Amino acid sequence: MTRMIDGKSIAEDIYKELKEEVDRLGDKPGLAVVLVGDDPASLVYVRNKERACKRLNLSYRLVRFPSSVSREELKSSIEELNMDKSINGIIVQLPVPEHLDSFEIISSVDPLKDVDGLHPDNMGRLVSGRPRLIPCTPLGIVELIKREGIDVRGKRAVIVGRSNLVGKPLIHLLLSLDATVTVCHSKTTDLKRETSEGDILVVAVGKPRFITKDMVKDGAVVIDVGINRVENKLVGDVDFEGVASITSLITPVPGGVGPMTVAMLMKNLITAYNIQSNKK
Ligand code: NDP
């Protein structure tokens, strides 16, 4: 019998825990979001982050630039935020326009304020088994796995997608939980053979209903990261109706991984605040 993983309700529990933690701080950690251009999806994500900050009584600043902004101007604004004591976390909303090198921009954020966990220092620490700030979506996936009591030790975890944002950091998080990890991508020769082996299957491809029932092991746990808009409806990368009939646990879209990502961003902001306070 399949069961749905209710990411929304788990995220609610996390907000309650974080709210108590923020109340105890007696201070107001601050998030700055740097947004370049006016990509509609980015605007939605940015608004969700603002709402989450309000909920937890955290301060929030949006720093906007037109898509024509120069790398110098953008980097000097990030430098100001790095120096600003009232800002504990900085996010550069991705994607940035083509003329900007996202690696260079992300690398200019103070690694102790890098609440997206994408700075090479933070990525390197994760790979070295000494994580500090961890990318929010993979962190949210692992939190779902833990809170659902899913035992991944010795199990075969298959990840489809190898982006810096999701797939690559998730490899290391699942390895640290003692899973045997396989990563697939667009050049994988027999995707179905790989995905069918997964006791845990995580899909982050960006193609609507890409993973079908015939590609999934009976009784698997399926985590769908995809967010795709199809005929004005949000759908995941997994063909939910078909696949849910054979899984033990599955995340819906919306209401699965998405709410966890924003909750983990808030968690990272508080972690960043604590790291910075201990350094003072
Ligand atoms: P990217 O486009 O950066 O990466 C997609 C990955 O999928 C790549 O590694 C690519 O392979 C792989 N891929 C593409 N086509 C195939 C194929 N035919 N077979 C196997 N693998 C394939 O996407 P992201 O990781 O940023 O995002 C993935 C999805 O997750 C999107 O829908 C995005 O909106 C969603 N997302 C959701 C979040 C949430 O909070 N729920 C947060 C972040 C993302 P290759 O490397 O070879 O090109």
Side-chain angles (χ1 to χ4, degrees):
M1 212 2 221
T2 198
R3 193 163 62 76
M4 259 203 329
I5 300 178
D6 187 347
K8 205 165 168 221
S9 137
I10 295 173
E12 284 303 311
D13 292 344
I14 292 170
Y15 280 111
K16 278 191 205 118
E17 294 161 17
L18 292 177
K19 182 76 177 66
E20 284 172 16
E21 202 174 335
V22 173
D23 290 347
R24 273 199 304 269
L25 290 178
D27 195 2
K28 209 171 172 173
L31 176 70
V33 177
V34 178
L35 176 63
V36 181
D38 48 13
D39 171 56
S42 291
L43 287 167
V44 172
Y45 296 142
V46 162
R47 225 170 288 135
N48 288 343
K49 290 165 190 175
E50 178 176 14
R51 212 172 294 143
C53 281
K54 288 224 167 95
R55 247 189 105 164
L56 294 179
N57 197 27
L58 302 168
S59 82
Y60 172 87
R61 190 188 307 170
L62 178 62
V63 183
R64 280 193 83 163
F65 291 99
S67 47
S68 59
V69 67
S70 68
R71 69 189 262 277
E72 290 75 20
E73 199 183 343
L74 189 58
K75 282 176 74 175
S76 100
S77 161
I78 291 172
E79 198 43 51
E80 273 173 37
L81 295 169
N82 284 343
M83 307 299 287
D84 188 331
K85 296 251 183 311
S86 68
I87 295 296
N88 305 98
I90 304 169
I91 289 177
V92 181
Q93 185 65 45
L94 298 175
V96 289
E98 292 239 323
H99 70 279
L100 299 167
D101 175 355
S102 60
F103 179 79
E104 183 191 1
I105 302 299
I106 290 166
S107 303
S108 69
V109 172
D110 177 346
L112 297 184
K113 294 190 177 185
D114 166 43
V115 283
D116 261 345
L118 296 173
H119 188 288
D121 273 19
N122 286 320
M123 284 289 216
R125 290 185 70 106
L126 176 60
V127 175
S128 307
R130 298 288 294 273
R132 185 169 51 196
L133 291 163
I134 299 171
C136 304
T137 302
L139 186 59
I141 291 169
V142 166
E143 196 67 30
L144 283 181
I145 287 174
K146 287 183 178 162
R147 291 194 184 225
E148 285 290 335
I150 299 162
D151 184 13
V152 299
R153 188 175 198 173
K155 300 271 170 60
R156 197 169 284 274
V158 177
I159 305 168
V160 191
R162 56 173 164 180
S163 68
N164 287 345
L165 203 60
V166 187
K168 276 187 203 154
L170 188 59
I171 298 168
H172 301 284
L173 291 172
L174 290 174
L175 277 179
S176 72
L177 295 176
D178 296 328
T180 299
V181 184
T182 303
V183 191
C184 307
H185 46 78
S186 67
K187 309 296 184 292
T188 298
T189 45
D190 189 348
L191 184 65
K192 182 177 161 182
R193 192 184 68 202
E194 305 296 341
T195 55
S196 308
E197 294 278 315
D199 300 307
I200 295 122
L201 176 63
V202 183
V203 190
V205 171
K207 293 197 159 102
R209 304 186 183 106
F210 177 70
I211 297 291
T212 46
K213 184 177 168 180
D214 58 314
M215 299 169 81
V216 177
K217 183 176 180 176
D218 262 1
V221 173
V222 174
I223 300 190
D224 187 354
V225 184
I227 302 178
N228 309 285
R229 193 166 282 280
V230 175
E231 292 160 0
N232 250 342
K233 231 182 98 190
L234 289 185
V235 299
D237 289 346
V238 174
D239 176 29
F240 185 86
E241 276 74 30
V243 171
S245 64
I246 58 161
T247 53
S248 57
L249 280 166
I250 186 166
T251 59
V253 176
V257 175
M260 291 298 289
T261 296
V262 189
M264 290 301 109
L265 172 64
M266 297 298 111
K267 192 177 163 70
N268 274 351
L269 179 59
I270 295 163
T271 303
Y273 172 89
N274 287 330
I275 294 171
Q276 290 155 38
S277 303
N278 290 337
K279 283 222 134 194
K280 270 177 206 158

Coordinates of all heavy atoms in Angstrom, one line a residue, residues 137 160-163 165-166 185-187 191 204-207 210 225-228 237 257-258 261, ligand 1:
T137 N 17.6 22.2 -1.1 CA 16.7 21.1 -1.6 C 17.2 19.7 -1.2 O 16.4 18.9 -0.6 CB 16.5 21.2 -3.1 OG1 16.0 22.5 -3.4 CG2 15.6 20.2 -3.7
V160 N 18.4 10.7 -10.2 CA 18.4 11.1 -11.7 C 18.5 12.6 -11.7 O 17.7 13.3 -11.2 CB 17.1 10.6 -12.4 CG1 17.3 10.8 -13.9 CG2 16.8 9.2 -12.1
G161 N 19.7 13.0 -12.3 CA 20.0 14.5 -12.3 C 21.2 14.7 -11.5 O 21.4 14.2 -10.4
R162 N 22.2 15.5 -12.1 CA 23.5 15.8 -11.4 C 23.8 17.3 -11.3 O 24.9 17.7 -11.4 CB 24.6 15.1 -12.2 CG 24.6 15.5 -13.6 CD 25.8 14.9 -14.4 NE 25.7 15.0 -15.8 CZ 26.6 14.6 -16.7 NH1 27.7 14.0 -16.3 NH2 26.3 14.7 -18.0
S163 N 22.7 18.1 -11.1 CA 23.0 19.5 -11.0 C 23.7 19.8 -9.6 O 23.6 19.1 -8.7 CB 21.7 20.3 -11.0 OG 20.9 20.0 -9.9
L165 N 22.8 22.1 -7.7 CA 21.7 22.5 -6.8 C 21.1 21.3 -6.1 O 20.8 21.4 -4.9 CB 20.6 23.2 -7.7 CG 19.7 24.2 -7.0 CD1 20.5 25.3 -6.4 CD2 18.7 24.7 -8.0
V166 N 21.0 20.2 -6.8 CA 20.3 19.0 -6.2 C 21.1 17.8 -6.2 O 21.5 17.3 -5.2 CB 18.9 18.8 -7.0 CG1 18.1 17.7 -6.2 CG2 18.1 20.0 -7.1
H185 N 22.2 10.6 -15.5 CA 22.1 11.9 -16.2 C 21.7 11.7 -17.6 O 21.4 10.6 -18.0 CB 23.4 12.7 -16.0 CG 24.6 11.8 -16.3 ND1 25.0 11.5 -17.5 CD2 25.4 11.2 -15.4 CE1 26.0 10.7 -17.5 NE2 26.3 10.5 -16.2
S186 N 21.8 12.8 -18.4 CA 21.3 12.6 -19.8 C 22.1 11.7 -20.7 O 21.7 11.3 -21.7 CB 21.2 14.0 -20.5 OG 22.5 14.5 -20.7
K187 N 23.3 11.3 -20.2 CA 24.2 10.4 -21.1 C 24.1 9.0 -20.5 O 24.8 8.1 -21.0 CB 25.6 10.9 -21.1 CG 25.8 12.4 -21.5 CD 25.4 12.7 -22.9 CE 25.6 14.1 -23.3 NZ 24.8 15.1 -22.6
L191 N 18.8 4.1 -18.8 CA 18.2 4.7 -17.6 C 17.3 3.8 -16.8 O 17.3 3.7 -15.6 CB 17.5 6.0 -18.0 CG 17.0 6.9 -16.8 CD1 18.1 7.4 -15.9 CD2 16.2 8.1 -17.3
A204 N 15.3 14.5 -10.2 CA 15.5 16.0 -10.4 C 16.0 16.2 -11.8 O 17.2 16.4 -12.1 CB 16.5 16.5 -9.4
V205 N 15.0 16.2 -12.8 CA 15.4 16.2 -14.2 C 14.8 17.5 -14.8 O 15.4 18.1 -15.7 CB 14.8 15.0 -14.9 CG1 15.0 15.1 -16.4 CG2 15.6 13.7 -14.4
G206 N 13.6 17.9 -14.4 CA 12.9 19.0 -15.0 C 12.2 18.7 -16.3 O 12.0 19.5 -17.2
K207 N 11.6 17.4 -16.3 CA 10.8 17.0 -17.5 C 9.5 16.4 -16.9 O 9.6 15.4 -16.2 CB 11.6 16.0 -18.3 CG 12.8 16.5 -19.0 CD 13.2 15.6 -20.1 CE 14.1 16.3 -21.1 NZ 15.5 16.1 -21.0
F210 N 8.3 12.3 -16.4 CA 9.4 11.6 -17.1 C 9.6 10.2 -16.7 O 9.9 9.3 -17.4 CB 10.7 12.5 -16.9 CG 11.9 11.9 -17.6 CD1 12.1 11.9 -18.9 CD2 13.0 11.4 -16.8 CE1 13.2 11.4 -19.5 CE2 14.1 10.9 -17.3 CZ 14.3 10.9 -18.7
V225 N 11.5 15.7 -7.2 CA 12.0 17.1 -7.0 C 11.4 18.0 -8.1 O 11.3 19.2 -7.8 CB 13.5 17.1 -7.0 CG1 14.0 18.5 -6.7 CG2 14.1 16.1 -6.0
G226 N 11.0 17.5 -9.2 CA 10.6 18.3 -10.3 C 9.5 19.3 -10.1 O 8.5 18.9 -9.4
I227 N 9.6 20.4 -10.7 CA 8.4 21.4 -10.7 C 8.3 21.8 -12.1 O 9.1 22.5 -12.6 CB 8.7 22.6 -9.8 CG1 9.0 22.2 -8.3 CG2 7.5 23.6 -9.8 CD1 9.4 23.4 -7.4
N228 N 7.2 21.4 -12.7 CA 7.0 21.7 -14.1 C 5.6 22.3 -14.3 O 4.6 21.7 -13.7 CB 7.1 20.5 -15.0 CG 8.4 19.7 -14.8 OD1 9.5 20.1 -15.2 ND2 8.3 18.6 -14.1
D237 N 8.4 15.4 -12.0 CA 9.1 14.7 -13.0 C 8.7 13.2 -13.0 O 9.2 12.4 -13.8 CB 10.7 14.7 -12.7 CG 11.2 16.1 -12.9 OD1 10.6 16.9 -13.6 OD2 12.4 16.3 -12.5
V257 N 8.6 18.0 -1.9 CA 9.9 18.6 -1.7 C 9.9 20.1 -1.6 O 10.6 20.7 -0.8 CB 10.9 18.1 -2.8 CG1 12.3 18.8 -2.6 CG2 11.1 16.6 -2.7
G258 N 9.0 20.7 -2.4 CA 9.0 22.2 -2.5 C 8.9 22.9 -1.2 O 9.8 23.7 -0.9
T261 N 12.1 22.8 0.8 CA 13.3 23.6 0.4 C 13.3 25.0 1.1 O 14.3 25.4 1.6 CB 13.2 23.8 -1.1 OG1 13.3 22.5 -1.7 CG2 14.3 24.7 -1.6
Ligands
NDP1 P1 19.1 21.0 -14.1 O1 18.5 21.3 -15.5 O2 20.2 21.8 -13.6 O3 19.5 19.5 -14.2 C1 18.7 18.5 -14.8 C2 19.5 17.2 -14.7 O4 18.7 16.2 -15.4 C3 20.8 17.2 -15.4 O5 21.8 16.5 -14.7 C4 20.5 16.4 -16.7 O6 21.6 15.7 -17.2 C5 19.4 15.5 -16.3 N1 18.7 15.0 -17.4 C6 18.1 15.8 -18.4 N2 17.5 15.0 -19.3 C7 17.7 13.7 -18.9 C8 17.3 12.5 -19.4 N3 16.6 12.3 -20.5 N4 17.7 11.4 -18.7 C9 18.4 11.4 -17.6 N5 18.8 12.6 -17.0 C10 18.4 13.7 -17.7 O7 17.9 21.0 -13.1 P2 17.8 21.2 -11.5 O8 18.5 20.1 -10.8 O9 18.0 22.6 -11.2 O10 16.2 21.0 -11.3 C11 15.6 19.8 -11.7 C12 14.1 19.9 -11.4 O11 13.9 20.1 -10.1 C13 13.4 21.1 -12.1 O12 12.1 20.7 -12.5 C14 13.4 22.2 -11.1 O13 12.3 23.1 -11.3 C15 13.1 21.3 -9.9 N6 13.6 21.9 -8.6 C16 12.8 21.9 -7.6 C17 13.2 22.4 -6.4 C18 12.2 22.3 -5.2 O14 12.3 23.0 -4.3 N7 11.3 21.4 -5.3 C19 14.4 23.1 -6.2 C20 15.3 23.0 -7.3 C21 14.9 22.4 -8.5 P3 23.0 16.4 -17.8 O15 23.7 16.8 -16.5 O16 23.7 15.3 -18.5 O17 22.6 17.5 -18.6

